[in-house]
Amino acid sequence: MEGLQRCFVLHSRPYSETSLILDVFSEDSGRVTLLAKGARRKRSNLKGALQPFTPLFMKWSGRGSMPVLTQAEPISIGLPMRSYILYSAMYVNEILARVLEPNTPYPVLFLDYLNALRELAQADNPEPALRRFELALLYHLGYGIDFLHCAGSGLPVEDEMTYTYREQRGFIASMVQGQLSFTGRQLKAIAARHFESPDQLRAAKRFTRIALKPYLGGKPLKSRELFTLRGRSSGK
């Protein structure tokens, strides 16, 4: 790789006594796995920089399955993720690490990710930012669903009509009420990524969980488990 790239560390884990293996989201290269040699040494100049939610300029070398990090410089201080917002930011990092194919550029998704982190850092309620990012991620993965037209008739969705989601087809007008059912008003909010009510947010969350499930597989998300444990420990 030539030159510095804008990056974020999604996740890190120890390797040997002094090094780290990093899952990194890069603006130009997508998701890459890097070996940060000596990053755990006390005197390493990388030790404080390789933290999630800190924008970095990074450079690496090597063409194997795990290139070696050669340079990492913070662009700015890390985005502050306070209290329960931290678990939402961890969730965003985890789904990126899980669903993105390695070494596949997603430059626009990188900007969506940066915007999501900025929203979360300023949010009291993380839900709108999470839903917008999940929908952006699905779009960049090639998930093309028309929220604004009935897949059966082709007619525009109507606010009070109920539509049932059919995988690989879209939303079809139906009298059936269930987990796969959405009103036209909810679908319009999802399409616009603009949520004015708790009902619209709940519908968007229900849809993104359905749509992301094939990409995430059956393995539980650690960030959700940590959030659940936190809620139990605090009596929530």
Side-chain angles (χ1 to χ4, degrees), residues 57-93:
F57 282 128
M58 301 180 77
K59 187 176 182 179
W60 54 90
S61 64
R63 297 183 178 277
S65 59
M66 195 184 303
V68 175
L69 179 67
T70 58
Q71 189 175 348
E73 302 172 2
I75 299 172
S76 66
I77 62 172
L79 293 160
M81 300 297 172
R82 64 194 185 282
S83 185
Y84 62 94
I85 298 292
L86 174 62
Y87 296 95
S88 297
M90 290 169 61
Y91 164 75
V92 170
N93 279 7

PDB file of all heavy atoms in Angstrom, residues 57-93:
ATOM      1  N   PHE A  57      -4.688   8.460  10.512  1.00  0.00           N
ATOM      2  CA  PHE A  57      -3.984   8.203   9.264  1.00  0.00           C
ATOM      3  C   PHE A  57      -3.134   6.958   9.496  1.00  0.00           C
ATOM      4  O   PHE A  57      -2.342   6.904  10.450  1.00  0.00           O
ATOM      5  CB  PHE A  57      -3.082   9.377   8.882  1.00  0.00           C
ATOM      6  CG  PHE A  57      -3.800  10.549   8.284  1.00  0.00           C
ATOM      7  CD1 PHE A  57      -3.629  11.827   8.786  1.00  0.00           C
ATOM      8  CD2 PHE A  57      -4.635  10.374   7.183  1.00  0.00           C
ATOM      9  CE1 PHE A  57      -4.282  12.912   8.227  1.00  0.00           C
ATOM     10  CE2 PHE A  57      -5.300  11.457   6.612  1.00  0.00           C
ATOM     11  CZ  PHE A  57      -5.121  12.722   7.142  1.00  0.00           C
ATOM     12  N   MET A  58      -3.281   5.963   8.609  1.00  0.00           N
ATOM     13  CA  MET A  58      -2.553   4.712   8.786  1.00  0.00           C
ATOM     14  C   MET A  58      -1.885   4.296   7.474  1.00  0.00           C
ATOM     15  O   MET A  58      -2.354   4.627   6.385  1.00  0.00           O
ATOM     16  CB  MET A  58      -3.483   3.595   9.279  1.00  0.00           C
ATOM     17  CG  MET A  58      -4.169   3.905  10.584  1.00  0.00           C
ATOM     18  SD  MET A  58      -5.285   2.577  11.158  1.00  0.00           S
ATOM     19  CE  MET A  58      -4.096   1.410  11.807  1.00  0.00           C
ATOM     20  N   LYS A  59      -0.810   3.546   7.641  1.00  0.00           N
ATOM     21  CA  LYS A  59      -0.078   3.006   6.506  1.00  0.00           C
ATOM     22  C   LYS A  59       0.406   1.619   6.879  1.00  0.00           C
ATOM     23  O   LYS A  59       0.767   1.368   8.030  1.00  0.00           O
ATOM     24  CB  LYS A  59       1.112   3.912   6.163  1.00  0.00           C
ATOM     25  CG  LYS A  59       1.865   3.541   4.889  1.00  0.00           C
ATOM     26  CD  LYS A  59       2.964   4.568   4.605  1.00  0.00           C
ATOM     27  CE  LYS A  59       3.702   4.240   3.319  1.00  0.00           C
ATOM     28  NZ  LYS A  59       4.761   5.243   3.018  1.00  0.00           N
ATOM     29  N   TRP A  60       0.406   0.711   5.892  1.00  0.00           N
ATOM     30  CA  TRP A  60       0.866  -0.654   6.143  1.00  0.00           C
ATOM     31  C   TRP A  60       1.566  -1.204   4.918  1.00  0.00           C
ATOM     32  O   TRP A  60       1.494  -0.636   3.826  1.00  0.00           O
ATOM     33  CB  TRP A  60      -0.302  -1.544   6.562  1.00  0.00           C
ATOM     34  CG  TRP A  60      -1.469  -1.557   5.616  1.00  0.00           C
ATOM     35  CD1 TRP A  60      -1.680  -2.385   4.562  1.00  0.00           C
ATOM     36  CD2 TRP A  60      -2.613  -0.694   5.679  1.00  0.00           C
ATOM     37  NE1 TRP A  60      -2.871  -2.098   3.955  1.00  0.00           N
ATOM     38  CE2 TRP A  60      -3.480  -1.083   4.616  1.00  0.00           C
ATOM     39  CE3 TRP A  60      -3.008   0.355   6.516  1.00  0.00           C
ATOM     40  CZ2 TRP A  60      -4.691  -0.436   4.376  1.00  0.00           C
ATOM     41  CZ3 TRP A  60      -4.220   0.992   6.282  1.00  0.00           C
ATOM     42  CH2 TRP A  60      -5.051   0.598   5.224  1.00  0.00           C
ATOM     43  N   SER A  61       2.246  -2.316   5.113  1.00  0.00           N
ATOM     44  CA  SER A  61       2.994  -2.937   4.015  1.00  0.00           C
ATOM     45  C   SER A  61       2.785  -4.435   4.056  1.00  0.00           C
ATOM     46  O   SER A  61       2.464  -5.023   5.090  1.00  0.00           O
ATOM     47  CB  SER A  61       4.485  -2.606   4.115  1.00  0.00           C
ATOM     48  OG  SER A  61       5.041  -3.153   5.296  1.00  0.00           O
ATOM     49  N   GLY A  62       2.987  -5.070   2.902  1.00  0.00           N
ATOM     50  CA  GLY A  62       2.819  -6.515   2.800  1.00  0.00           C
ATOM     51  C   GLY A  62       1.557  -6.869   2.056  1.00  0.00           C
ATOM     52  O   GLY A  62       0.556  -6.142   2.121  1.00  0.00           O
ATOM     53  N   ARG A  63       1.582  -7.969   1.345  1.00  0.00           N
ATOM     54  CA  ARG A  63       0.450  -8.371   0.516  1.00  0.00           C
ATOM     55  C   ARG A  63      -0.189  -9.667   0.974  1.00  0.00           C
ATOM     56  O   ARG A  63      -1.064 -10.191   0.320  1.00  0.00           O
ATOM     57  CB  ARG A  63       0.902  -8.521  -0.938  1.00  0.00           C
ATOM     58  CG  ARG A  63       1.393  -7.224  -1.561  1.00  0.00           C
ATOM     59  CD  ARG A  63       1.748  -7.414  -3.019  1.00  0.00           C
ATOM     60  NE  ARG A  63       2.176  -6.183  -3.640  1.00  0.00           N
ATOM     61  CZ  ARG A  63       1.346  -5.258  -4.131  1.00  0.00           C
ATOM     62  NH1 ARG A  63       0.050  -5.463  -4.091  1.00  0.00           N
ATOM     63  NH2 ARG A  63       1.813  -4.151  -4.674  1.00  0.00           N
ATOM     64  N   GLY A  64       0.234 -10.216   2.109  1.00  0.00           N
ATOM     65  CA  GLY A  64      -0.344 -11.459   2.599  1.00  0.00           C
ATOM     66  C   GLY A  64      -1.696 -11.238   3.255  1.00  0.00           C
ATOM     67  O   GLY A  64      -2.337 -10.197   3.100  1.00  0.00           O
ATOM     68  N   SER A  65      -2.136 -12.238   4.023  1.00  0.00           N
ATOM     69  CA  SER A  65      -3.427 -12.155   4.686  1.00  0.00           C
ATOM     70  C   SER A  65      -3.411 -11.154   5.837  1.00  0.00           C
ATOM     71  O   SER A  65      -4.466 -10.704   6.284  1.00  0.00           O
ATOM     72  CB  SER A  65      -3.846 -13.527   5.206  1.00  0.00           C
ATOM     73  OG  SER A  65      -2.877 -14.024   6.122  1.00  0.00           O
ATOM     74  N   MET A  66      -2.206 -10.811   6.334  1.00  0.00           N
ATOM     75  CA  MET A  66      -2.109  -9.873   7.441  1.00  0.00           C
ATOM     76  C   MET A  66      -0.930  -8.930   7.231  1.00  0.00           C
ATOM     77  O   MET A  66       0.170  -9.161   7.723  1.00  0.00           O
ATOM     78  CB  MET A  66      -1.968 -10.610   8.773  1.00  0.00           C
ATOM     79  CG  MET A  66      -2.223  -9.713   9.980  1.00  0.00           C
ATOM     80  SD  MET A  66      -1.939 -10.596  11.548  1.00  0.00           S
ATOM     81  CE  MET A  66      -3.059 -11.979  11.361  1.00  0.00           C
ATOM     82  N   PRO A  67      -1.137  -7.829   6.496  1.00  0.00           N
ATOM     83  CA  PRO A  67      -0.073  -6.840   6.327  1.00  0.00           C
ATOM     84  C   PRO A  67       0.350  -6.257   7.675  1.00  0.00           C
ATOM     85  O   PRO A  67      -0.371  -6.349   8.674  1.00  0.00           O
ATOM     86  CB  PRO A  67      -0.719  -5.769   5.435  1.00  0.00           C
ATOM     87  CG  PRO A  67      -1.884  -6.450   4.802  1.00  0.00           C
ATOM     88  CD  PRO A  67      -2.359  -7.468   5.773  1.00  0.00           C
ATOM     89  N   VAL A  68       1.517  -5.632   7.671  1.00  0.00           N
ATOM     90  CA  VAL A  68       2.091  -5.076   8.905  1.00  0.00           C
ATOM     91  C   VAL A  68       1.887  -3.572   8.931  1.00  0.00           C
ATOM     92  O   VAL A  68       2.218  -2.859   7.971  1.00  0.00           O
ATOM     93  CB  VAL A  68       3.594  -5.420   9.001  1.00  0.00           C
ATOM     94  CG1 VAL A  68       4.219  -4.747  10.225  1.00  0.00           C
ATOM     95  CG2 VAL A  68       3.789  -6.933   9.061  1.00  0.00           C
ATOM     96  N   LEU A  69       1.344  -3.084  10.027  1.00  0.00           N
ATOM     97  CA  LEU A  69       1.166  -1.653  10.221  1.00  0.00           C
ATOM     98  C   LEU A  69       2.527  -0.987  10.337  1.00  0.00           C
ATOM     99  O   LEU A  69       3.378  -1.409  11.121  1.00  0.00           O
ATOM    100  CB  LEU A  69       0.356  -1.399  11.489  1.00  0.00           C
ATOM    101  CG  LEU A  69       0.095   0.057  11.868  1.00  0.00           C
ATOM    102  CD1 LEU A  69      -0.823   0.723  10.857  1.00  0.00           C
ATOM    103  CD2 LEU A  69      -0.507   0.134  13.275  1.00  0.00           C
ATOM    104  N   THR A  70       2.738   0.068   9.561  1.00  0.00           N
ATOM    105  CA  THR A  70       4.024   0.776   9.610  1.00  0.00           C
ATOM    106  C   THR A  70       3.907   2.194  10.148  1.00  0.00           C
ATOM    107  O   THR A  70       4.902   2.787  10.553  1.00  0.00           O
ATOM    108  CB  THR A  70       4.650   0.834   8.200  1.00  0.00           C
ATOM    109  OG1 THR A  70       3.739   1.485   7.303  1.00  0.00           O
ATOM    110  CG2 THR A  70       4.971  -0.563   7.695  1.00  0.00           C
ATOM    111  N   GLN A  71       2.673   2.746  10.161  1.00  0.00           N
ATOM    112  CA  GLN A  71       2.509   4.115  10.638  1.00  0.00           C
ATOM    113  C   GLN A  71       1.062   4.335  11.052  1.00  0.00           C
ATOM    114  O   GLN A  71       0.140   3.860  10.403  1.00  0.00           O
ATOM    115  CB  GLN A  71       2.890   5.111   9.535  1.00  0.00           C
ATOM    116  CG  GLN A  71       2.962   6.563   9.978  1.00  0.00           C
ATOM    117  CD  GLN A  71       3.468   7.466   8.857  1.00  0.00           C
ATOM    118  OE1 GLN A  71       3.967   6.977   7.840  1.00  0.00           O
ATOM    119  NE2 GLN A  71       3.345   8.765   9.029  1.00  0.00           N
ATOM    120  N   ALA A  72       0.865   5.047  12.154  1.00  0.00           N
ATOM    121  CA  ALA A  72      -0.477   5.414  12.605  1.00  0.00           C
ATOM    122  C   ALA A  72      -0.406   6.733  13.346  1.00  0.00           C
ATOM    123  O   ALA A  72       0.341   6.863  14.318  1.00  0.00           O
ATOM    124  CB  ALA A  72      -1.062   4.334  13.506  1.00  0.00           C
ATOM    125  N   GLU A  73      -1.157   7.704  12.854  1.00  0.00           N
ATOM    126  CA  GLU A  73      -1.155   9.040  13.450  1.00  0.00           C
ATOM    127  C   GLU A  73      -2.592   9.494  13.677  1.00  0.00           C
ATOM    128  O   GLU A  73      -3.398   9.482  12.743  1.00  0.00           O
ATOM    129  CB  GLU A  73      -0.467  10.044  12.519  1.00  0.00           C
ATOM    130  CG  GLU A  73       0.958   9.695  12.154  1.00  0.00           C
ATOM    131  CD  GLU A  73       1.512  10.621  11.077  1.00  0.00           C
ATOM    132  OE1 GLU A  73       0.763  11.549  10.660  1.00  0.00           O
ATOM    133  OE2 GLU A  73       2.659  10.427  10.657  1.00  0.00           O
ATOM    134  N   PRO A  74      -2.948   9.901  14.889  1.00  0.00           N
ATOM    135  CA  PRO A  74      -4.300  10.422  15.125  1.00  0.00           C
ATOM    136  C   PRO A  74      -4.558  11.692  14.304  1.00  0.00           C
ATOM    137  O   PRO A  74      -3.710  12.579  14.235  1.00  0.00           O
ATOM    138  CB  PRO A  74      -4.314  10.736  16.620  1.00  0.00           C
ATOM    139  CG  PRO A  74      -3.202   9.926  17.196  1.00  0.00           C
ATOM    140  CD  PRO A  74      -2.156   9.843  16.124  1.00  0.00           C
ATOM    141  N   ILE A  75      -5.707  11.752  13.660  1.00  0.00           N
ATOM    142  CA  ILE A  75      -6.114  12.953  12.941  1.00  0.00           C
ATOM    143  C   ILE A  75      -6.677  13.968  13.931  1.00  0.00           C
ATOM    144  O   ILE A  75      -6.475  15.176  13.795  1.00  0.00           O
ATOM    145  CB  ILE A  75      -7.162  12.613  11.870  1.00  0.00           C
ATOM    146  CG1 ILE A  75      -6.573  11.631  10.839  1.00  0.00           C
ATOM    147  CG2 ILE A  75      -7.675  13.871  11.173  1.00  0.00           C
ATOM    148  CD1 ILE A  75      -7.594  11.103   9.852  1.00  0.00           C
ATOM    149  N   SER A  76      -7.390  13.466  14.905  1.00  0.00           N
ATOM    150  CA  SER A  76      -7.970  14.298  15.955  1.00  0.00           C
ATOM    151  C   SER A  76      -8.168  13.425  17.176  1.00  0.00           C
ATOM    152  O   SER A  76      -7.880  12.225  17.149  1.00  0.00           O
ATOM    153  CB  SER A  76      -9.311  14.901  15.495  1.00  0.00           C
ATOM    154  OG  SER A  76     -10.262  13.869  15.307  1.00  0.00           O
ATOM    155  N   ILE A  77      -8.668  13.999  18.255  1.00  0.00           N
ATOM    156  CA  ILE A  77      -8.939  13.187  19.437  1.00  0.00           C
ATOM    157  C   ILE A  77     -10.105  12.254  19.148  1.00  0.00           C
ATOM    158  O   ILE A  77     -10.897  12.481  18.232  1.00  0.00           O
ATOM    159  CB  ILE A  77      -9.247  14.070  20.661  1.00  0.00           C
ATOM    160  CG1 ILE A  77     -10.513  14.917  20.404  1.00  0.00           C
ATOM    161  CG2 ILE A  77      -8.053  14.957  21.015  1.00  0.00           C
ATOM    162  CD1 ILE A  77     -10.986  15.672  21.617  1.00  0.00           C
ATOM    163  N   GLY A  78     -10.208  11.183  19.934  1.00  0.00           N
ATOM    164  CA  GLY A  78     -11.284  10.226  19.739  1.00  0.00           C
ATOM    165  C   GLY A  78     -12.647  10.848  19.997  1.00  0.00           C
ATOM    166  O   GLY A  78     -12.802  11.749  20.830  1.00  0.00           O
ATOM    167  N   LEU A  79     -13.641  10.368  19.262  1.00  0.00           N
ATOM    168  CA  LEU A  79     -15.007  10.844  19.475  1.00  0.00           C
ATOM    169  C   LEU A  79     -15.521  10.302  20.804  1.00  0.00           C
ATOM    170  O   LEU A  79     -15.448   9.095  21.056  1.00  0.00           O
ATOM    171  CB  LEU A  79     -15.898  10.379  18.324  1.00  0.00           C
ATOM    172  CG  LEU A  79     -15.563  11.029  16.976  1.00  0.00           C
ATOM    173  CD1 LEU A  79     -16.109  10.206  15.830  1.00  0.00           C
ATOM    174  CD2 LEU A  79     -16.129  12.437  16.926  1.00  0.00           C
ATOM    175  N   PRO A  80     -16.040  11.154  21.675  1.00  0.00           N
ATOM    176  CA  PRO A  80     -16.435  10.709  23.018  1.00  0.00           C
ATOM    177  C   PRO A  80     -17.725   9.903  22.988  1.00  0.00           C
ATOM    178  O   PRO A  80     -18.761  10.392  22.524  1.00  0.00           O
ATOM    179  CB  PRO A  80     -16.613  12.022  23.782  1.00  0.00           C
ATOM    180  CG  PRO A  80     -16.986  13.017  22.724  1.00  0.00           C
ATOM    181  CD  PRO A  80     -16.253  12.595  21.473  1.00  0.00           C
ATOM    182  N   MET A  81     -17.675   8.662  23.487  1.00  0.00           N
ATOM    183  CA  MET A  81     -18.854   7.803  23.562  1.00  0.00           C
ATOM    184  C   MET A  81     -19.156   7.544  25.032  1.00  0.00           C
ATOM    185  O   MET A  81     -18.519   6.709  25.671  1.00  0.00           O
ATOM    186  CB  MET A  81     -18.592   6.487  22.811  1.00  0.00           C
ATOM    187  CG  MET A  81     -18.266   6.661  21.350  1.00  0.00           C
ATOM    188  SD  MET A  81     -19.654   7.406  20.417  1.00  0.00           S
ATOM    189  CE  MET A  81     -18.842   7.700  18.831  1.00  0.00           C
ATOM    190  N   ARG A  82     -20.110   8.271  25.565  1.00  0.00           N
ATOM    191  CA  ARG A  82     -20.362   8.210  26.988  1.00  0.00           C
ATOM    192  C   ARG A  82     -21.381   7.128  27.339  1.00  0.00           C
ATOM    193  O   ARG A  82     -22.290   6.839  26.571  1.00  0.00           O
ATOM    194  CB  ARG A  82     -20.861   9.557  27.504  1.00  0.00           C
ATOM    195  CG  ARG A  82     -22.190   9.973  26.934  1.00  0.00           C
ATOM    196  CD  ARG A  82     -22.509  11.433  27.188  1.00  0.00           C
ATOM    197  NE  ARG A  82     -23.851  11.779  26.716  1.00  0.00           N
ATOM    198  CZ  ARG A  82     -24.151  11.985  25.462  1.00  0.00           C
ATOM    199  NH1 ARG A  82     -23.222  11.865  24.531  1.00  0.00           N
ATOM    200  NH2 ARG A  82     -25.390  12.305  25.105  1.00  0.00           N
ATOM    201  N   SER A  83     -21.216   6.537  28.483  1.00  0.00           N
ATOM    202  CA  SER A  83     -22.190   5.652  29.107  1.00  0.00           C
ATOM    203  C   SER A  83     -22.751   4.636  28.101  1.00  0.00           C
ATOM    204  O   SER A  83     -22.004   3.972  27.386  1.00  0.00           O
ATOM    205  CB  SER A  83     -23.313   6.501  29.722  1.00  0.00           C
ATOM    206  OG  SER A  83     -24.222   5.718  30.426  1.00  0.00           O
ATOM    207  N   TYR A  84     -24.084   4.529  28.030  1.00  0.00           N
ATOM    208  CA  TYR A  84     -24.729   3.515  27.199  1.00  0.00           C
ATOM    209  C   TYR A  84     -24.524   3.763  25.708  1.00  0.00           C
ATOM    210  O   TYR A  84     -24.687   2.851  24.891  1.00  0.00           O
ATOM    211  CB  TYR A  84     -26.220   3.451  27.512  1.00  0.00           C
ATOM    212  CG  TYR A  84     -26.967   4.730  27.220  1.00  0.00           C
ATOM    213  CD1 TYR A  84     -27.602   4.920  26.001  1.00  0.00           C
ATOM    214  CD2 TYR A  84     -27.032   5.746  28.166  1.00  0.00           C
ATOM    215  CE1 TYR A  84     -28.279   6.090  25.720  1.00  0.00           C
ATOM    216  CE2 TYR A  84     -27.710   6.926  27.893  1.00  0.00           C
ATOM    217  CZ  TYR A  84     -28.327   7.098  26.675  1.00  0.00           C
ATOM    218  OH  TYR A  84     -28.991   8.266  26.394  1.00  0.00           O
ATOM    219  N   ILE A  85     -24.179   5.004  25.302  1.00  0.00           N
ATOM    220  CA  ILE A  85     -23.917   5.277  23.890  1.00  0.00           C
ATOM    221  C   ILE A  85     -22.724   4.451  23.405  1.00  0.00           C
ATOM    222  O   ILE A  85     -22.656   4.052  22.239  1.00  0.00           O
ATOM    223  CB  ILE A  85     -23.647   6.783  23.675  1.00  0.00           C
ATOM    224  CG1 ILE A  85     -24.880   7.612  24.063  1.00  0.00           C
ATOM    225  CG2 ILE A  85     -23.240   7.067  22.244  1.00  0.00           C
ATOM    226  CD1 ILE A  85     -26.070   7.438  23.156  1.00  0.00           C
ATOM    227  N   LEU A  86     -21.795   4.163  24.306  1.00  0.00           N
ATOM    228  CA  LEU A  86     -20.621   3.366  23.946  1.00  0.00           C
ATOM    229  C   LEU A  86     -21.027   2.013  23.375  1.00  0.00           C
ATOM    230  O   LEU A  86     -20.428   1.540  22.402  1.00  0.00           O
ATOM    231  CB  LEU A  86     -19.724   3.175  25.164  1.00  0.00           C
ATOM    232  CG  LEU A  86     -18.518   2.234  24.992  1.00  0.00           C
ATOM    233  CD1 LEU A  86     -17.560   2.770  23.937  1.00  0.00           C
ATOM    234  CD2 LEU A  86     -17.800   2.051  26.316  1.00  0.00           C
ATOM    235  N   TYR A  87     -22.048   1.380  23.953  1.00  0.00           N
ATOM    236  CA  TYR A  87     -22.467   0.066  23.470  1.00  0.00           C
ATOM    237  C   TYR A  87     -23.048   0.154  22.058  1.00  0.00           C
ATOM    238  O   TYR A  87     -22.880  -0.764  21.249  1.00  0.00           O
ATOM    239  CB  TYR A  87     -23.487  -0.543  24.434  1.00  0.00           C
ATOM    240  CG  TYR A  87     -22.907  -0.810  25.801  1.00  0.00           C
ATOM    241  CD1 TYR A  87     -23.040   0.117  26.823  1.00  0.00           C
ATOM    242  CD2 TYR A  87     -22.205  -1.983  26.059  1.00  0.00           C
ATOM    243  CE1 TYR A  87     -22.501  -0.118  28.079  1.00  0.00           C
ATOM    244  CE2 TYR A  87     -21.659  -2.223  27.311  1.00  0.00           C
ATOM    245  CZ  TYR A  87     -21.806  -1.290  28.317  1.00  0.00           C
ATOM    246  OH  TYR A  87     -21.252  -1.522  29.552  1.00  0.00           O
ATOM    247  N   SER A  88     -23.715   1.245  21.767  1.00  0.00           N
ATOM    248  CA  SER A  88     -24.239   1.445  20.411  1.00  0.00           C
ATOM    249  C   SER A  88     -23.103   1.607  19.412  1.00  0.00           C
ATOM    250  O   SER A  88     -23.144   1.055  18.305  1.00  0.00           O
ATOM    251  CB  SER A  88     -25.144   2.679  20.380  1.00  0.00           C
ATOM    252  OG  SER A  88     -26.269   2.495  21.201  1.00  0.00           O
ATOM    253  N   ALA A  89     -22.070   2.368  19.783  1.00  0.00           N
ATOM    254  CA  ALA A  89     -20.916   2.545  18.900  1.00  0.00           C
ATOM    255  C   ALA A  89     -20.173   1.220  18.719  1.00  0.00           C
ATOM    256  O   ALA A  89     -19.694   0.913  17.614  1.00  0.00           O
ATOM    257  CB  ALA A  89     -19.987   3.608  19.471  1.00  0.00           C
ATOM    258  N   MET A  90     -20.064   0.441  19.796  1.00  0.00           N
ATOM    259  CA  MET A  90     -19.437  -0.883  19.692  1.00  0.00           C
ATOM    260  C   MET A  90     -20.227  -1.790  18.751  1.00  0.00           C
ATOM    261  O   MET A  90     -19.655  -2.575  17.992  1.00  0.00           O
ATOM    262  CB  MET A  90     -19.340  -1.517  21.082  1.00  0.00           C
ATOM    263  CG  MET A  90     -18.338  -0.847  22.006  1.00  0.00           C
ATOM    264  SD  MET A  90     -18.482  -1.420  23.728  1.00  0.00           S
ATOM    265  CE  MET A  90     -18.141  -3.182  23.522  1.00  0.00           C
ATOM    266  N   TYR A  91     -21.545  -1.672  18.789  1.00  0.00           N
ATOM    267  CA  TYR A  91     -22.401  -2.447  17.893  1.00  0.00           C
ATOM    268  C   TYR A  91     -22.127  -2.095  16.436  1.00  0.00           C
ATOM    269  O   TYR A  91     -22.010  -2.991  15.570  1.00  0.00           O
ATOM    270  CB  TYR A  91     -23.868  -2.191  18.246  1.00  0.00           C
ATOM    271  CG  TYR A  91     -24.850  -2.606  17.184  1.00  0.00           C
ATOM    272  CD1 TYR A  91     -25.158  -3.953  16.981  1.00  0.00           C
ATOM    273  CD2 TYR A  91     -25.466  -1.657  16.374  1.00  0.00           C
ATOM    274  CE1 TYR A  91     -26.062  -4.336  15.996  1.00  0.00           C
ATOM    275  CE2 TYR A  91     -26.369  -2.027  15.396  1.00  0.00           C
ATOM    276  CZ  TYR A  91     -26.657  -3.367  15.206  1.00  0.00           C
ATOM    277  OH  TYR A  91     -27.542  -3.747  14.224  1.00  0.00           O
ATOM    278  N   VAL A  92     -22.010  -0.806  16.142  1.00  0.00           N
ATOM    279  CA  VAL A  92     -21.710  -0.381  14.772  1.00  0.00           C
ATOM    280  C   VAL A  92     -20.385  -0.982  14.312  1.00  0.00           C
ATOM    281  O   VAL A  92     -20.273  -1.501  13.191  1.00  0.00           O
ATOM    282  CB  VAL A  92     -21.683   1.161  14.686  1.00  0.00           C
ATOM    283  CG1 VAL A  92     -21.133   1.616  13.342  1.00  0.00           C
ATOM    284  CG2 VAL A  92     -23.079   1.729  14.897  1.00  0.00           C
ATOM    285  N   ASN A  93     -19.370  -0.924  15.166  1.00  0.00           N
ATOM    286  CA  ASN A  93     -18.077  -1.510  14.812  1.00  0.00           C
ATOM    287  C   ASN A  93     -18.184  -3.012  14.578  1.00  0.00           C
ATOM    288  O   ASN A  93     -17.576  -3.562  13.646  1.00  0.00           O
ATOM    289  CB  ASN A  93     -17.059  -1.248  15.918  1.00  0.00           C
ATOM    290  CG  ASN A  93     -16.444   0.133  15.838  1.00  0.00           C
ATOM    291  OD1 ASN A  93     -16.858   0.966  15.044  1.00  0.00           O
ATOM    292  ND2 ASN A  93     -15.447   0.396  16.663  1.00  0.00           N
TER     293      ASN A  93
END
